[in-house]
Amino acid sequence: TGPSLQYYARAEVGSIIGVEPNLAMHPVAREEAMRWGVDDKLRLVAGFAERLPLPDASVDVVVATMLLCTVKDMNATMREFERVLRPGGRYVFIEHIAAPPGSALRVMQNMFDPLQVATACGCHLTREPMAAILTSGFGAVEATHFTIGQTLAEAQAMAAVAAAGNDIDERGRQLETETRGWRPGAGGGPPRHW
């Protein structure tokens, strides 16, 4: 729907291909593109992340925001990202994740997940996308983890754990992490999603 198009304008990107299965969202994305002055660079196509309507090795960067919560098959989506990226290309993502198992928040997420799926374009509250990302064929994964409402002390403690080398995936690859928190009323809010 184009909430990140403002960043493409600032980065002076040459061309943008937007893949959106919901045709009703195409006018919203076009409006955002006009708002940020990139409407001449945007080409919208209908399609699904699990079967991107793009040739092999055809893009430099795949940017996906809040996507893996809605796809039917996260692993197929990751394979598609690998397929369409040129050698040396990058996958940039922002995803929400499930709360830790057994936590009060996770209990609530489990309870509200069916309603969320039905009313929010298939978005699952209980997905854990990092597993799919880490087991994909990408050679290196860098991720920034933050918790809404996280205190600075908690964020610093998590960063110290990550710096000590305790974030290693199943293949023995280092997962570089940095943590940041955001609180309502503290320096504005997160970027709008819709």
Side-chain angles (χ1 to χ4, degrees):
T1 57
S4 60
L5 287 172
Q6 63 181 305
Y7 303 109
Y8 295 97
R10 291 182 196 159
E12 300 179 9
V13 171
S15 66
I16 305 164
I17 303 168
V19 179
E20 171 60 60
N22 186 345
L23 295 177
M25 292 292 113
H26 285 211
V28 176
R30 288 186 207 292
E31 185 178 310
E32 280 294 297
M34 288 191 323
R35 176 179 175 203
W36 296 106
V38 294
D39 50 307
D40 59 327
K41 298 176 182 181
L42 177 64
R43 177 172 62 105
L44 287 172
V45 296
F48 293 91
E50 297 93 334
R51 286 188 332 258
L52 291 170
L54 302 171
D56 294 355
S58 62
V59 299
D60 296 315
V61 180
V62 170
V63 177
T65 56
M66 307 297 183
L67 173 77
L68 293 178
C69 60
T70 63
V71 299
K72 292 193 185 318
D73 185 337
M74 290 190 293
N75 293 319
T77 298
M78 298 309 300
R79 286 190 299 273
E80 276 296 276
F81 291 171
E82 293 175 59
R83 181 186 68 76
V84 301
L85 279 168
R86 290 187 178 114
R90 293 184 358 191
Y91 164 49
V92 179
F93 60 92
I94 298 174
E95 295 290 345
H96 65 85
I97 61 172
S103 67
L105 181 55
R106 182 63 172 261
V107 169
M108 290 174 49
Q109 287 176 327
N110 288 335
M111 186 171 61
F112 288 110
D113 194 60
L115 179 62
Q116 173 79 2
V117 171
T119 61
C121 300
C123 174
H124 290 266
L125 297 171
T126 56
R127 287 273 173 95
E128 297 187 19
M130 284 307 296
I133 293 167
L134 290 171
T135 58
S136 69
F138 293 106
V141 175
E142 294 180 29
T144 299
H145 178 266
F146 70 93
T147 301
I148 293 177
Q150 182 177 36
T151 67
L152 179 59
E154 291 168 329
Q156 290 171 333
M158 289 179 72
V161 168
N166 294 335
D167 286 344
I168 299 177
D169 72 17
E170 305 82 19
R171 295 183 187 173
R173 296 180 298 184
Q174 178 70 39
L175 171 61
E176 297 176 21
T177 62
E178 169 188 319
T179 58
R180 287 183 280 178
W182 168 81
R183 288 189 176 283
R192 68 186 186 96
H193 176 62
W194 302 106

